[in-house]
Amino acid sequence: MDGLVWTKERREPRRRAPSVERFVTRAVAIADAEGVDAVSMRRVAKDLGSGTASLYRYIAGRDELLDLMIDAVQGEDALPAPSGDWRADLRECALRLRTLLLRHPWLGAELTGRPALGPNSLRWYDTVLAVAGTLTSDATLAALAVDTVTAYVLGAVGGEIAELQASRRTGMTEDEWRASVGPYIREVVGGGEYPHFARRVAEAGDVPAERSFELGLACVLDGLAARIPRT
């Protein structure tokens, strides 16, 4: 327990030293703009015009800083209290998580590892468990329902974020990328070796990310309704 940032007594900042909240806010801004790999104790302290030793006085290391960052962003948008309509409430939780992940593209990878245990993270999880509890009184099934919806959101949004990162990395918009690969795609389609892919190119329209997300989420919720008996 002594090693958890949440169990430590928070020191008061020295005169003119940035507060822990300012350090965390700056770290989140760096991660949003440049990726979480750009976040280091030295970089955060330097950006705030403080010595790295000052940051270590309040935060033991980068792992603690990441824990504080995760908890800070999960406290940005509080989830509404359960209404009793588990499907509508779980849908709303999923949509809010998607918004949060798109706002902070680095967050998804951090949430797929060890569980977040900060107060904001626990409050978020507790609320979603309460929502699932209106579907089933079985605590195990409720937790599995939450995990299933969360896994879907992380996977679906991960694809959206990958596209955004590809655009940033290549300097090409999606339309520009499509134009650049157009000749190759036409050659592949014309060869006749991949008929289902050719039909996809010829007949299937592009689906906006929001609509695709909503359709997948509806399928997940349909599955939960079918597999978990309402209690």
Side-chain angles (χ1 to χ4, degrees):
M1 291 294 291
D2 291 340
L4 294 177
V5 64
W6 316 113
T7 64
K8 295 180 179 180
E9 182 178 353
R10 182 67 62 206
R11 295 182 180 183
E12 290 296 324
R14 291 176 174 175
R15 185 168 26 177
R16 294 189 300 275
S19 65
V20 172
E21 288 73 21
R22 284 189 63 198
F23 280 125
V24 173
T25 298
R26 183 57 201 154
V28 169
I30 294 170
D32 289 348
E34 304 175 34
V36 74
D37 289 343
V39 176
S40 68
M41 302 287 278
R42 181 185 298 274
R43 168 69 187 279
V44 173
K46 179 181 178 182
D47 281 9
L48 292 179
S50 178
T52 308
S54 296
L55 180 53
Y56 277 109
R57 175 177 170 80
Y58 312 112
I59 302 173
R62 188 173 183 274
D63 285 344
E64 278 197 6
L65 180 59
L66 284 173
D67 286 339
L68 292 168
M69 290 165 60
I70 293 167
D71 199 61
V73 299
Q74 288 202 282
E76 291 175 356
D77 297 318
L79 293 175
S83 69
D85 184 339
W86 72 267
R87 187 183 181 103
D89 290 345
L90 268 184
R91 175 182 176 276
E92 180 63 23
C93 291
L95 292 175
R96 293 200 182 204
L97 180 55
R98 175 177 180 264
T99 298
L100 188 64
L101 293 171
L102 291 175
R103 186 187 305 151
H104 304 290
W106 53 273
L107 179 61
E110 300 303 321
L111 292 180
T112 57
R114 59 190 178 183
L117 299 175
N120 291 323
S121 303
L122 290 175
R123 190 175 300 111
W124 179 293
Y125 187 50
D126 194 69
T127 300
V128 185
L129 284 174
V131 168
T134 63
L135 166 63
T136 173
S137 59
D138 186 310
T140 300
L141 290 178
L144 287 174
V146 171
D147 292 346
T148 298
V149 172
T150 301
Y152 167 72
V153 177
L154 290 172
V157 178
E160 294 185 61
I161 292 173
E163 172 58 36
L164 295 173
Q165 291 175 336
S167 295
R168 179 185 299 176
R169 184 178 63 254
T170 63
M172 300 170 64
T173 66
E174 185 173 0
D175 288 341
E176 290 170 338
W177 176 81
R178 288 174 183 269
S180 71
V181 301
Y184 171 72
I185 296 298
R186 288 190 290 273
E187 180 180 341
V188 169
V189 169
E193 188 174 354
Y194 309 103
H196 299 289
F197 175 71
R199 184 184 178 192
R200 163 67 178 86
V201 173
E203 300 180 20
D206 291 328
V207 179
E210 294 83 359
R211 182 182 172 193
S212 176
F213 181 86
E214 288 269 19
L215 175 61
L217 179 58
C219 292
V220 171
L221 297 177
D222 285 346
L224 292 177
R227 300 291 297 182
I228 299 179
R230 182 74 185 274
T231 58

